[in-house]
Amino acid sequence: MSQETHGPVDSVTGVTTTGHSWDEIQELNNPLPRWWLWTFYASIIWAAAYCVAYPAWPLVSSYTKGVLSWHSREAIETDLADLKSLRAGMTAKLAETPLEQVGQDAELFTFARAQGKAAFGDNCAPCHGAGGAGAKGYPNLNDDDWLWGGNLAQIEQTIRHGARSTSDQGHQGSMPAFGREGMLKRQEISQVADFVRSLSGLPVDQGADLAAGAKIFADNCAACHGDKGQGNQDLGAPNLSDQIWLFGSSKTAIMEGLHNGRGGVMPAWQGRLDDTTIKALTLYVHSLGGGRAE
Amino acid sequence: MADSPLAGHLPSKTVDEADEQPLYVSRKKIYPQAVKGRFRTIKWAVLFVALGIYYFLPFVRWDRGPHAPNQAILVDLANSRFYFFFIEIWPQEVYYITGLLILAALVLFLMNAVAGRIWCGYLCPQTVWTDLFYAVERLIEGDRRERTRRTKEKATLEIFTLKLLKHSIWLLIAWWTGGAWVLYFADAPTLVGQLLTFQAPPIAYIWIGILTFTTYTLAGFMREQVCTYMCPWPRIQAALTDEYALNVTYRYDRGEPRGSMKKNDALKKQGAPAGDCIDCNQCVAVCPTGIDIRDGLQLDCIQCGLCIDACNTVMAKIGRPENLIAYDTEMNVQARIEGRPEVRRVVRPRTLLYAGLIALVGAIMVAALATRHTTDLSVMHDRNPVFVRLSDGAIRNGFTIRVSNKNLEERRYALGVDGLQDARLDIVGGQLDPQGRPMVVVGPDQTLEARVLVTAGDAKHPSSTALRFTLTDIASGETAYANDHFMAP
Ligand code: SF4
Ligand code: SF4
């Protein structure tokens, strides 16, 4: 043992060696540097103190809580509360400013749109896309075509109560399944589809009987979509004479809609989002580009 | 060796011998002696000017008008602005700082090419603060002799009191060093008030604490060890220097063989060679890194020139010419020994190159500053959706614009777009100027983000058309441009 720890004295340095030798290279038995040793002791003390102060050891069904009773969840909650209080002034201002007047205060408007953008990303983007571009069956919120109206109040109503949602204040009305229910025959569906395409200037099949289509339209569709197919926002009936087609403008897509009916669902957000967030969302969606003044 | 021209001139200890120190030595405590002379005076002057600037610069005011701070130098982290007298730097302009760093490096290189580690000896903060701490130490505990004697004495109440006093003053200097630092980051007079009433933000106290600690340990305890062991510059410098760079040099051609005055006088009488160095060790006593310059140029030498002052005093006393130690080159020492003429060349490719680069970088920075725009426009195209078809078939693209107004008053800008014939421009939530152009109003020293819609009729558009946005300050006519594209199906 002593041979191991106190080997022969090294002639160059005058220090004893440990007796270990690797290819005749020997290890000097120098003590650890003092600063290093103290740092090491300090680390041990620190570790022990840490275990006492903070949650550290797993137990069978729980863990040691530590005397400071620090909790990561609480830390997050404090951070969130701090953030809320930081924004409190603007949030309160937004809450009490009527929807139509927010746009007059540039700073408040910017704040509302930023908050609305965040809420949109969390709640609306799954259907309408991150930038509100929509997809087949999910309206593009950047264009100027609105199923249920595009002024601030209408947008707010739609967000609050949804369409064909569980809310009894939500928008109702759907496109009947003319084919499946046997109200129109296949040939009639084809004729009215051609007519509808002609309404927005799309090319129709050769030899299509537009007069017959117009007749069927007047009898079955005009009640909701209007005489000229201009649509009706009270019923959520799309404008059929413009260039925007929620479910596609091909004849097949139109015939499919006529046969099976259509009725996209927008959930009601009241109760899930607070009033100020809905307000911010409304302003954001309205500012995407298609919002109407009236 | 006997017929070498160096015979009789070689230093007593060659550089090789000096190198053969053990690799690990515990620190030798150094008690540098006070010295008077030309270089000491220069060092005092530099110390007062440098510390004076550092400690009091935050209190210098600079009127920038009502919307900006009036502190001459201010790093405003909260609002990401950097103020330097008449210059105000925004975060996207940090390349000025890069330029400054490049300039600093080049100046350091130039200094090195001309006179070695002159930065280390006179300007380096480590040197300046250590010098100050030494001065305090000398004032309280006495010069070299007293301090050496005291370390051998038993601890008495007197010694304890003196030490306590010294450390208190050191801590005070260190604390004020940290205090001055934080003043660069907030309005100095306000912050001083807050600090005194304990109302300042915690981060201020933390930084003062950190800098007090580092100043106290680095200047009070680590001292020359920072220069010899911690600082990379001596290593880099050694690779950059050349034989023309002036270094503090012991002229062994004149000094050797050294010996006591008596011994050398006797030698001279016999007609034997005798040097001017009387081996009094004054040059060693005053050296703040505790080295013997007579061993030749060495890594530990910070080029402070104090040994020159010390030796000159000795030379004056014994009636010999000055500058046995001087700013000189090893090359010239050899030249004199071999009877060749001395070479002094400050203008050489290396110095010309550095000077040229400094001038170039400086010129670029001045030009960049002079042509600095006070309005910035950047445009970002919406990605989702890239374009929208409106109900009448028109195509619309959305953009987010960012307008930075670097002036200190509110400005109104008209926004226009070129490149598309029937384009219509709308700013969401924006206003119109008297001529009906879309307009944005940006507050003083602020950035505004706005959403812009460009709509073009339903004529066939190519899938991508180049657009140019033009932002014009309605009052001054200053214009900023940004390019983007109009996308269509
Ligand atoms: S050798 Fe001379 S110049 Fe170098 S650090 Fe010492 S005193 Fe200063
Ligand atoms: S101070 Fe001058 S004379 Fe004295 S030892 Fe140093 S070099 Fe020699």
Side-chain angles (χ1 to χ4, degrees):
Chain A
M1 186 66 193
S2 66
Q3 195 56 28
E4 279 252 312
T5 48
H6 301 291
V9 173
D10 174 62
S11 63
V12 182
T13 54
V15 176
T16 56
T17 64
T18 56
H20 305 154
S21 164
W22 294 272
D23 290 346
E24 287 170 35
I25 295 171
Q26 304 217 334
E27 186 184 11
L28 293 186
N29 192 17
N30 275 322
L32 291 164
R34 219 171 336 151
W35 67 266
W36 189 93
L37 215 55
W38 282 112
T39 315
F40 180 56
Y41 293 147
S43 312
I44 293 176
I45 295 168
W46 173 268
Y50 189 96
C51 290
V52 176
Y54 289 104
W57 292 95
L59 303 175
V60 176
S61 61
S62 173
Y63 52 89
T64 57
K65 298 280 191 303
V67 292
L68 294 186
S69 57
W70 178 88
H71 208 290
S72 61
R73 183 148 209 102
E74 264 166 40
I76 286 188
E77 270 159 17
T78 327
D79 282 357
L80 285 178
D82 285 354
L83 200 66
K84 273 213 180 102
S85 67
L86 194 73
R87 292 186 187 148
M90 285 305 255
T91 311
K93 198 170 165 193
L94 181 60
E96 68 201 23
T97 311
L99 199 50
E100 288 74 22
Q101 281 165 31
V102 176
Q104 286 152 27
D105 181 336
E107 198 190 359
L108 188 62
F109 187 51
T110 310
F111 173 78
R113 281 201 301 143
Q115 199 184 331
K117 185 174 183 180
F120 189 90
D122 287 348
N123 302 289
C124 318
C127 291
H128 290 285
K136 188 176 170 186
Y138 301 96
N140 183 341
L141 303 175
N142 292 270
D143 64 24
D144 60 345
D145 197 24
W146 296 92
L147 289 173
W148 306 98
N151 69 30
L152 282 167
Q154 290 165 325
I155 294 176
E156 191 190 11
Q157 159 76 17
T158 307
I159 296 175
R160 223 174 250 289
H161 301 295
R164 304 175 194 101
S165 66
T166 48
S167 162
D168 45 13
Q169 293 174 62
H171 298 303
Q172 296 302 334
S174 55
M175 164 94 173
F178 286 100
R180 217 175 49 213
E181 306 278 338
M183 290 187 273
L184 290 175
K185 291 199 227 16
R186 184 165 177 81
Q187 199 210 353
E188 290 171 318
I189 287 178
S190 169
Q191 283 168 339
V192 80
D194 272 327
F195 174 71
V196 163
R197 272 170 67 82
S198 77
L199 283 178
S200 50
L202 295 167
V204 295
D205 286 353
Q206 250 176 2
D209 187 350
L210 288 181
K215 172 98 185 29
I216 302 163
F217 186 87
D219 292 348
N220 296 281
C221 317
C224 292
H225 289 284
D227 301 342
K228 302 185 185 71
Q230 72 275 25
N232 182 348
Q233 292 182 344
D234 294 334
L235 302 169
N239 182 344
L240 303 176
S241 60
D242 65 12
Q243 310 270 333
I244 294 166
W245 294 87
L246 182 55
F247 292 94
S249 64
S250 70
K251 191 174 170 191
T252 333
I254 295 172
M255 284 178 68
E256 188 192 318
L258 280 157
H259 184 80
N260 288 323
R262 298 280 192 200
V265 172
M266 156 95 175
W269 292 94
Q270 175 160 296
R272 289 209 255 175
L273 298 176
D274 63 65
D275 284 355
T276 319
T277 309
I278 290 181
K279 198 183 248 181
L281 259 178
T282 306
L283 287 158
Y284 173 71
V285 169
H286 187 264
S287 75
L288 279 175
R292 296 277 163 84
E294 241 336 286
Chain B
M1 195 66 188
D3 36 58
S4 148
L6 295 182
H9 295 287
L10 278 175
S12 61
K13 208 156 88 178
T14 64
V15 175
D16 280 350
E17 276 165 0
D19 272 349
E20 274 173 24
Q21 301 163 346
L23 279 175
Y24 300 100
V25 278
S26 47
R27 181 187 186 198
K28 265 192 282 150
K29 195 128 180 9
I30 297 164
Y31 301 92
Q33 191 176 319
V35 61
K36 285 202 178 64
R38 192 188 316 147
F39 296 105
R40 182 63 261 185
T41 314
I42 298 176
K43 269 171 75 71
W44 282 128
V46 171
L47 186 144
F48 279 114
V49 172
L51 290 186
I53 291 176
Y54 175 71
Y55 287 129
F56 297 107
L57 204 53
F59 295 99
V60 177
R61 306 285 96 183
W62 191 269
D63 187 19
R64 295 188 180 85
H67 295 296
N70 62 348
Q71 184 156 319
I73 297 182
L74 179 68
V75 186
D76 189 352
L77 290 177
N79 303 306
S80 6
R81 296 283 185 280
F82 174 61
Y83 300 95
F84 185 86
F85 294 94
F86 61 97
I87 303 173
E88 180 194 329
I89 292 184
W90 283 46
Q92 60 266 47
E93 295 168 317
V94 278
Y95 52 82
Y96 285 122
I97 312 281
T98 315
L100 273 182
L101 288 175
I102 295 175
L103 263 189
L106 288 171
V107 169
L108 196 58
F109 290 173
L110 182 64
M111 281 164 107
N112 176 51
V114 173
R117 276 171 76 184
I118 194 139
W119 159 265
C120 304
Y122 297 85
L123 280 160
C124 174
Q126 173 64 20
T127 296
V128 170
W129 263 283
T130 304
D131 231 16
L132 184 64
F133 274 45
Y134 266 135
V136 171
E137 190 171 68
R138 263 185 218 117
L139 202 71
I140 293 168
E141 292 191 62
D143 204 357
R144 175 180 168 93
R145 200 165 323 155
E146 280 126 306
R147 276 183 290 145
T148 337
R149 177 166 51 78
R150 283 231 178 81
T151 51
K152 290 182 191 118
E153 276 171 10
K154 273 214 277 328
T156 62
L157 188 65
E158 193 210 342
I159 293 183
F160 178 76
T161 324
L162 287 181
K163 285 229 185 288
L164 191 72
L165 184 63
K166 175 181 81 175
H167 285 282
S168 313
I169 298 183
W170 276 3
L171 276 170
L172 217 64
I173 299 175
W175 168 77
W176 184 231
T177 304
W181 174 260
V182 298
L183 295 185
Y184 285 91
F185 295 85
D187 184 59
T190 320
L191 185 59
V192 168
Q194 289 174 334
L195 285 170
L196 293 177
T197 53
F198 298 102
Q199 315 256 294
I203 189 79
Y205 294 104
I206 293 173
W207 271 105
I208 294 179
I210 292 175
L211 274 123
T212 307
F213 175 75
T214 49
T215 312
Y216 179 61
T217 42
L218 290 181
F221 300 95
M222 311 283 292
R223 299 177 163 183
E224 83 286 347
Q225 298 185 96
V226 175
C227 314
T228 35
Y229 301 121
M230 292 166 66
C231 177
W233 180 233
R235 278 91 186 159
I236 304 169
Q237 182 271 344
L240 286 175
T241 195
D242 66 4
E243 66 272 33
Y244 295 103
L246 288 177
N247 280 306
V248 174
T249 309
Y250 167 66
R251 290 167 160 164
Y252 51 84
D253 57 316
R254 192 186 126 189
E256 301 291 320
R258 70 182 79 148
S260 70
M261 258 219 303
K262 227 187 266 165
K263 189 181 126 205
N264 276 16
D265 278 348
L267 278 175
K268 271 186 201 148
K269 271 195 200 105
Q270 293 162 22
D276 276 348
C277 174
I278 57 168
D279 212 2
C280 63
N281 266 322
Q282 278 306 297
C283 48
V284 181
V286 300
C287 175
T289 69
I291 56 166
D292 187 344
I293 190 64
R294 295 172 301 167
D295 293 339
L297 184 58
Q298 44 208 293
L299 179 131
D300 322 42
C301 174
I302 58 166
Q303 305 278 309
C304 63
L306 293 184
C307 52
I308 306 182
D309 282 344
C311 189
N312 281 349
T313 316
V314 174
M315 291 298 118
K317 265 190 211 134
I318 64 168
R320 299 292 309 161
E322 283 196 339
N323 292 335
L324 172 54
I325 306 175
Y327 279 100
D328 199 358
T329 64
E330 199 86 354
M331 178 183 66
N332 280 345
V333 174
Q334 298 279 1
R336 285 193 297 272
I337 293 172
E338 290 160 16
R340 282 187 281 114
E342 293 181 10
V343 223
R344 287 190 193 255
R345 274 224 304 258
V346 178
V347 183
R348 358 185 255 279
R350 188 186 283 263
T351 49
L352 282 178
L353 178 72
Y354 293 147
L357 283 174
I358 290 172
L360 183 72
V361 177
I364 292 176
M365 280 180 64
V366 168
L369 264 180
T371 58
R372 178 175 182 265
H373 295 292
T374 55
T375 299
D376 248 10
L377 171 68
S378 70
V379 173
M380 208 172 70
H381 198 292
D382 277 5
R383 282 189 301 160
N384 178 16
V386 178
F387 61 84
V388 175
R389 187 181 279 283
L390 298 184
S391 51
D392 63 358
I395 306 292
R396 174 191 280 170
N397 281 206
F399 301 87
T400 304
I401 62 163
R402 221 170 215 286
V403 181
S404 299
N405 169 18
K406 295 178 189 170
N407 274 4
L408 293 171
E409 67 262 2
E410 180 182 279
R411 292 208 277 179
R412 303 168 163 261
Y413 297 98
L415 184 71
V417 65
D418 300 323
L420 211 60
Q421 280 200 337
D422 53 347
R424 212 186 70 225
L425 189 92
D426 296 294
I427 302 177
V428 175
Q431 311 164 26
L432 296 181
D433 80 340
Q435 286 151 46
R437 290 179 295 181
M439 176 182 79
V440 285
V441 183
V442 191
D445 199 46
Q446 273 178 18
T447 297
L448 179 120
E449 206 180 84
R451 208 173 126 73
V452 167
L453 304 170
V454 177
T455 315
D458 59 354
K460 273 266 168 251
H461 295 287
S463 61
S464 170
T465 315
L467 281 187
R468 165 173 252 207
F469 289 90
T470 312
L471 187 75
T472 316
D473 179 356
I474 296 173
S476 74
E478 188 191 338
T479 319
Y481 300 99
N483 294 319
D484 213 304
H485 286 88
F486 185 84
M487 312 297 266

